[in-house]
Amino acid sequence: MTQKHYITTLGIFLTFLLATLAIAPLIGATNISLIKAFSSEIPFKENVDAHILFLARLPRILLAGIAGSALAVAGAVFQALLRNDLAAPFTLGVSSGAAFGAVLSIAMGWNFRFLGVPALSIFAFFGALLAVALVFSLVKVRHNEFETSTLLLAGVTANFFFAALVMFIHYLSDFTQSFQIIRWLMGGLDITDYGTVLSIIPPVALGFVILMVIARDLNLISAGVSTALSRGVNVSRIQKSGFIVSSLVTGTIVAFTGPIGFVGLIAPHIVRLIVGPDLRLLLPCAMMFGAAFLILCDAVARTLIAPAEIPVGVITAILGGPFFVWLLKRKKNS
Amino acid sequence: MTSSLLTAKNLTFGYDDVPILKNIFLKIEAGEFIGLIGPNGSGKSTLLKLLAGILDAPAHSIYFKQNDIRQVPRKRLAQSIAWTPQEQNLAFSFKNSEVVLMGRHPHLSLFTMESEKDFAIAQKAMETTHTLPFADRYFNEISGGEKQRVLIASAVAQEPEMMALDEPTSALDIKYQMQILEILKHLNEDKNTTIILAMHDLHLASKFCKRLVLLDNGKIVRDGPPDKVLEPGILEEVYNIDIKLYRDPNGGVLVSPLLSDLSSTAEFE
Ligand SMILES: Nc1ncnc2c1ncn2[C@@H]1O[C@H](COP(=O)(O)OP(=O)(O)O)[C@@H](O)[C@H]1O
Ligand SMILES: [Mg+2]
C-alpha cells in the first residue's frame, strides 16, 4: 500500500460521504427550498424551510452519520478479531444488553435526564456494559490469546439471556410501554436535539483513534494468532483493547439509536471488497462508507411511506437480509 | 556461561496438566542448521513454538542469549526469532506482498507506516524466495508450495537471527522440497541465519542439516550429526518399524523402511 494509493482511496470515500451529506438534507416528506432556508429576510421563527432543515433533518443526518460510521468500524474490528466476516458489533451481546437496560427503564417509567442525557440511554449504555463484562468474565486468556470460540459462545449466550429478560419485561408491561419497547427495539434515529447528538461524538471519536493506533496489530491478528505472536504482537492485550473499545463504541451508539442491525455487518464487508482487508485503510473507509450508508437508508426510511416514517432498522434489515444470504452463498461456493 | 543464541534447560511443558515435552536440554548456537525429527505427536511443533516465544515456557527453562525468554519483550524477541507455521489459511484476502510486509512488524513503531526501506527489504525477501512473480496475487489462491515460500519470505523480511520453521516441506513434492531447503541453506550460509526446522523426510534431513534432534514422545532421544542420529536401532525403536540404512553416494543417509511381512514381497521378484 503506497501513500498515494492510500490518500487517493480515502479521497474517493470522502467524496462519496460529502456528496451524501449534500443531498440527504434535501430528501424528505416535504420539499424544502435551500434558498428560503438560508434566506436572511425571513425571520428564523417563521422560516418553515429552515426549521425542517436545521431542526428536523440535520441533527438526524448527523446522528445517522455518527451511528453508521461507529457501527461499521466496530463491525470491521469484530470481524478481524474473530477472523470471521460474518461477525458484527452485536455478535457478543452488546445490543441485547443495551436492549435490556432500555426496556427496563421504559417499563419502570424512569424518564429523568442526567446531564441532558435521557434515562433510557443511560440504562441502555449500562446494559451494554453489563453484557460486555459478563462475556469477558467467562473468557480466559490461554496460551497468550483469548479463546475466541469461548468468546463467541459466551456472546451467543449473552444474546439469548438478555433477549429472554427483554421478553419477560415486555410481557409484563402495559400497552403504551409495549409500543415504546417495540419501537426502541426496531432502532431509530429520531433524537433531534443537537446537544445529545454532539455528546456522542467525543467517546466515539476516542474509540476510533485507539482502534486506528492498533490497526496494524489487528491486521496481524486477523491473519492468524500464532503468526501475530511470532511477529511481536501482544495478542491478548490487543484483543482485549479491540473488543472492549469497539463494544463501548457500539454500546454508546445503541444507547441512543437502539439496535440498528446489519450496518455493522454489511458496511465493512462492502468496503473490504473494494479496498482489501488492511485495517489501516479499511477502518477510515468503513467509517465514511458506514456514515453515508446509514444516512441514505434513513433518507429512504423518511420518504418511502411519507408522511409516515419507517424505522431505519427495518430498512437496513430489509437490505441486509438478502445481502447476508448472498454472502453465505458466496462463501459456500468459494 | 557461553552466549548461545537459545538454550532450553530442563524444559518441561504441557498445554494442560499432561506434560507434552519432558526434561528438554537443547543448546542452539548462532549459525547452526538443525533438523527436528520424530514421529507425529512427538512434540516438534510445541517445541518450536516455545523456542519462538509463541507459547510461554515455564520460568528458567528457556534462555535467549542468557536472558530468561519470559523476560524478553515480545517485540524484541520477534526482531531476532521468526517462525513459520506448517499450514496457514487466511480469513481475509491479503495479497502475498502484504503477507510478506507483515514480517516488518517488529521493526516498526506504533505510529509509523512501512517506509521505502521496508518495502525494499520485503522486495528482496521475495526475490530470495522466488515469490516475486505472484506478489500481487492473493495468499489464499496459491499452491501449498508457493504459500510456504511466501511464509518464508515473510520470515526473511523479519530479518531475524534465527528462523524456526514448522514442517515447511511436508506437503510438497520433491522439487519444491528441494527448492525450500536450498533457500534455507542459502540463508544459513550467506546471512548466517540460524535455522531450526521440523521435518519428516529423514533422507533430506540428513542431506541438509548439520545437526539432527530426534524427539520421541516429548523427549530428546538423540542429538548430533546426522550419521550419529540416524541409526537403525534407535529409529526402529522410535518409529516402531524395521529399517535399513544406506549411505547416499551424493551425501546423506537413505532410510529404507522394510516391509513387515517379507514373504509377501517375494512373489513380485
Ligand atoms: N493446542 C493444544 N492443546 C492441547 N494439546 C495439544 C495442542 N497442540 C498439540 N497438542 C498435543 O501435544 C502433543 C504434541 O503435538 P505436536 O507438538 O503438534 O507434535 P508434532 O508437531 O511432533 O506432531 C500431541 O499429543 C498433541 O495432541
Ligand atoms: Mg507438528
Side-chain angles (χ1 to χ4, degrees), chain A:
Chain A
M1 181 171 55
T2 59
Q3 208 163 8
K4 188 167 158 250
H5 171 70
Y6 190 80
I7 291 170
T8 317
T9 315
L10 286 184
I12 293 169
F13 276 87
L14 185 64
T15 312
F16 177 54
L17 175 59
L18 291 178
T20 310
L21 281 172
I23 296 165
L26 302 177
I27 305 173
T30 36
N31 281 323
I32 58 165
S33 146
L34 275 187
I35 299 172
K36 269 196 203 159
F38 282 99
S39 160
S40 51
E41 282 159 25
I42 316 166
F44 188 77
K45 265 189 183 168
E46 294 159 26
N47 192 336
V48 181
D49 292 74
H51 271 225
I52 294 177
L53 179 64
F54 291 110
L55 300 182
R57 288 186 191 164
L58 274 186
R60 193 171 167 145
I61 287 168
L62 211 57
L63 182 63
I66 299 166
S69 59
L71 293 173
V73 166
V77 172
F78 271 77
Q79 289 170 3
L81 283 172
L82 295 168
R83 281 183 296 288
N84 187 338
D85 51 12
L86 299 180
F90 301 162
T91 304
L92 295 188
V94 178
S95 64
S96 28
F100 167 65
V103 165
L104 187 68
S105 83
I106 293 172
M108 302 305 265
W110 292 323
N111 43 27
F112 58 88
R113 277 176 176 259
F114 180 72
L115 299 176
V117 182
L120 183 68
S121 297
I122 294 171
F123 280 94
F125 183 72
F126 280 103
L129 277 190
L130 182 68
V132 176
L134 187 76
V135 165
F136 277 88
S137 70
L138 293 174
V139 183
K140 285 193 306 257
V141 175
R142 188 168 176 272
H143 300 305
N144 290 321
E145 62 168 311
F146 266 95
E147 295 179 297
T148 321
S149 53
T150 320
L151 198 61
L152 271 172
L153 209 61
V156 172
T157 311
N159 267 324
F160 276 117
F161 177 70
F162 287 113
L165 289 181
V166 165
M167 260 197 285
F168 181 64
I169 299 172
H170 192 178
Y171 184 73
L172 296 179
S173 59
D174 67 32
F175 189 75
T176 325
Q177 288 169 343
S178 175
F179 180 76
Q180 262 184 295
I181 288 173
I182 295 267
R183 185 62 196 79
W184 192 88
L185 290 176
M186 284 178 180
L189 295 161
D190 27 27
I191 294 176
T192 46
D193 68 296
Y194 281 104
T196 312
V197 175
L198 294 178
S199 70
I200 305 174
I201 294 180
V204 170
L206 180 67
F208 284 169
V209 171
I210 295 173
L211 294 172
M212 274 308 285
V213 168
I214 61 172
R216 186 155 36 86
D217 298 78
L218 289 169
N219 275 344
L220 272 96
I221 291 176
S222 82
V225 165
S226 294
T227 40
L229 284 164
S230 77
R231 267 77 173 261
V233 177
N234 192 329
V235 169
S236 57
R237 194 167 72 198
I238 298 292
Q239 282 176 319
K240 213 178 295 178
S241 329
F243 275 126
I244 289 178
V245 169
S246 38
S247 295
L248 291 185
V249 166
T250 306
T252 309
I253 295 301
V254 175
F256 290 95
T257 66
I260 300 175
F262 288 105
V263 185
L265 173 71
I266 302 172
H269 218 280
I270 293 175
V271 177
R272 196 184 299 105
L273 287 177
I274 302 169
V275 308
D278 188 332
L279 289 158
R280 291 173 292 177
L281 185 57
L282 178 59
L283 290 185
C285 290
M287 182 181 133
M288 292 186 271
F289 182 84
F293 178 78
L294 198 57
I295 290 171
L296 289 175
C297 283
D298 185 50
V300 173
R302 282 185 281 127
T303 44
L304 208 59
I305 53 163
E309 273 181 17
I310 308 167
V312 70
V314 174
I315 300 290
T316 56
I318 286 173
L319 291 177
F323 179 80
F324 199 73
V325 172
W326 173 76
L327 202 68
L328 282 171
K329 270 187 91 112
R330 214 178 75 103
K331 264 186 100 77
K332 230 185 224 163
N333 293 340
S334 65

Side-chain angles (χ1 to χ4, degrees), chain B residues 50-68:
Chain B
L50 285 160
L51 295 175
I54 294 166
L55 291 169
D56 281 342
H60 313 302
S61 56
I62 298 183
Y63 290 83
F64 170 71
K65 297 183 178 173
Q66 309 188 14
N67 300 309
D68 189 334

